[in-house]
Amino acid sequence: MLNILPVKSTPYPTLRSCIDDCIQSVAEWQGKDSKYMYGNAWQFSFKQQQSSEQSIIDRVSTPRISKEYLAAYHGINFTYVNREESAMDKSFLLDMLEKRLAGGMPVLVGFDSYSCPWCLAYRKLHTSHACLAVGVDRSSRKIYLTDGYYGRPLEAVDLDEWESACHFFAEFSLCEPSRPLGQWRLALEHTLLNQEHEIQPLQVAEHLRAYADAYLETGIIAENPGEYSAYFLLAANTLPITRIRYSLFLSAISADQEVSELTRVAEGYRIAGETWNMVNQFMIKVMCSGNKPAQRGKIHKKMLEIIHSEEALLLELVQLVNQPAFKS
């Protein structure tokens, strides 16, 4: 049994990812951090509509955590495996768990929260949840889980029930970091000014405005708004979560230095995350109360205010990295 304490990745109860919590729990267990993996969290793209039935929230694309940055800066490899192949039966999972745990590393396991007794979605909603597998006992048919998201140090779960609900897992391993911590300019240049990014910093506001304008035009349309609200909130929360993540990244890269510009921008992204979360709540209220154009107009105005703030924050970061003193 591995003794890993559950750790929350952000101080926000609803603006967190259970996967982030698992990674941060492993990082702190290893005496490391993980927040440089949020270096791409400034990104946002709004895709073209694929069909008339496609909701605007399904056209939003935000980045997942960067496994590349996690390995390069913190020395932690993180590998997703979708459980799709027929060879990944119960015996395969048990053998894999026992091998990884015997090697001294936990396994992140993802499963349907509908089957997780302590999840809010238990027997209500089919969503994904992730915990750390820290022990397994074939004789008693139990798997032992640590849940950072719900703050549960150890839960014993029936192995058969868990196995039937498990749809992905992820393996951890340690590696040598290839990039230094604590050099904020180099970290910003690497994570912000990479020309291989699909979306460049000065394009983010354009995509955000397209999202805001699409909302103003159509709002959120659903045949059953009450039922759709849960799905919408799960999908829409990726936007405020990425803004909170980027705030944490900026704070982390300047943790050992006093960089007033970064502190200010980090605070700006924290506020943006909180405000996007508030906007999501109002979007649900408007959807459930008739999707009236006047109400959408008020939300659109608030969206444009946040977008203007984000645009200024990203521009400040780009200018900060491009200062002649740094480039010379």
Side-chain angles (χ1 to χ4, degrees):
M1 188 84 67
L2 300 178
N3 184 21
I4 302 177
L5 295 176
V7 176
K8 292 177 171 56
S9 54
T10 82
Y12 295 86
T14 58
L15 296 182
R16 297 199 326 271
S17 159
C18 51
I19 291 178
D20 293 31
D21 292 347
C22 288
I23 295 174
Q24 185 66 19
S25 296
V26 172
E28 293 197 16
W29 174 61
Q30 289 289 329
K32 300 173 181 288
D33 196 1
S34 68
K35 293 184 178 63
Y36 277 56
M37 70 180 178
Y38 298 147
N40 60 352
W42 53 269
Q43 297 178 44
F44 176 94
S45 62
F46 189 62
K47 307 294 185 181
Q48 292 290 329
Q49 190 173 26
Q50 299 299 310
S51 68
S52 58
E53 291 79 24
Q54 186 182 28
S55 170
I56 64 168
I57 201 59
D58 295 324
R59 297 164 59 190
V60 167
S61 178
T62 56
R64 301 177 74 174
I65 57 173
S66 173
K67 296 180 289 182
E68 173 200 344
Y69 297 164
L70 181 64
Y73 289 103
H74 299 296
I76 301 174
N77 284 318
F78 182 65
T79 307
Y80 283 107
V81 181
N82 285 320
R83 193 184 172 197
E84 297 175 348
E85 295 83 354
S86 58
M88 293 183 181
D89 58 11
K90 188 181 301 183
S91 296
F92 170 88
L93 285 178
L94 281 173
D95 291 344
M96 179 274 297
L97 286 171
E98 289 180 337
K99 180 180 178 180
R100 300 296 299 177
L101 291 169
M105 291 301 285
V107 177
L108 183 148
V109 290
F111 51 94
D112 191 342
S113 51
Y114 185 88
S115 301
C116 182
W118 62 88
C119 286
L120 293 177
Y122 181 61
R123 296 293 186 261
K124 298 175 184 175
L125 187 66
H126 291 282
T127 64
S128 289
H129 186 53
C131 296
L132 290 175
V134 295
V136 62
D137 187 341
R138 286 183 189 254
S139 61
S140 65
R141 309 299 300 167
K142 296 293 184 183
I143 182 172
Y144 295 92
L145 305 175
T146 293
D147 190 335
Y149 190 85
Y150 285 101
R152 292 179 176 260
L154 194 65
E155 291 287 344
V157 177
D158 180 83
L159 199 54
D160 294 323
E161 289 187 14
W162 167 80
E163 183 272 335
S164 65
C166 176
H167 55 276
F168 75 91
F169 62 91
E171 299 175 341
F172 295 92
S173 63
L174 301 182
C175 61
E176 283 297 320
S178 59
R179 289 187 173 273
L181 295 171
Q183 298 186 22
W184 65 268
R185 287 183 183 272
L186 290 177
L188 272 183
E189 184 179 37
H190 177 226
T191 59
L192 188 65
L193 301 186
N194 188 336
Q195 293 302 309
E196 295 182 359
H197 290 318
E198 180 182 354
I199 301 295
Q200 294 297 308
L202 301 187
Q203 296 175 308
V204 170
E206 174 188 346
H207 282 258
L208 283 168
R209 275 192 280 268
Y211 170 56
D213 291 346
Y215 173 73
L216 177 63
E217 181 178 353
T218 65
I220 307 299
I221 301 172
E223 290 184 6
N224 191 326
E227 290 184 5
Y228 187 75
S229 295
Y231 169 79
F232 173 82
L233 194 57
L234 283 172
N237 262 2
T238 60
L239 178 52
I241 285 174
T242 55
R243 274 47 195 159
I244 297 297
R245 284 172 170 170
Y246 201 54
S247 174
L248 293 171
F249 166 77
L250 294 173
S251 298
I253 65 174
S254 61
D256 298 327
Q257 307 158 66
E258 292 187 3
V259 187
S260 59
E261 296 92 339
L262 289 182
T263 301
R264 183 174 62 255
V265 176
E267 176 67 7
Y269 268 94
R270 182 190 67 79
I271 294 171
E274 293 176 349
T275 313
W276 278 118
N277 182 50
M278 178 187 69
V279 164
N280 288 344
Q281 306 294 331
F282 279 112
M283 290 169 80
I284 289 175
K285 290 182 179 179
V286 170
M287 175 184 66
C288 293
S289 62
N291 194 30
K292 298 180 177 64
Q295 293 176 319
R296 299 204 305 268
K298 293 179 182 178
I299 293 177
H300 180 259
K301 181 179 179 181
K302 175 55 70 174
M303 295 169 83
L304 293 182
E305 291 175 4
I306 313 171
I307 295 165
H308 178 72
S309 173
E310 281 202 30
E311 187 174 30
L313 293 171
L314 268 181
L315 179 60
E316 183 173 358
L317 287 179
V318 171
Q319 292 174 338
L320 190 63
V321 180
N322 283 324
Q323 284 180 352
F326 175 54
K327 291 296 181 181
S328 61

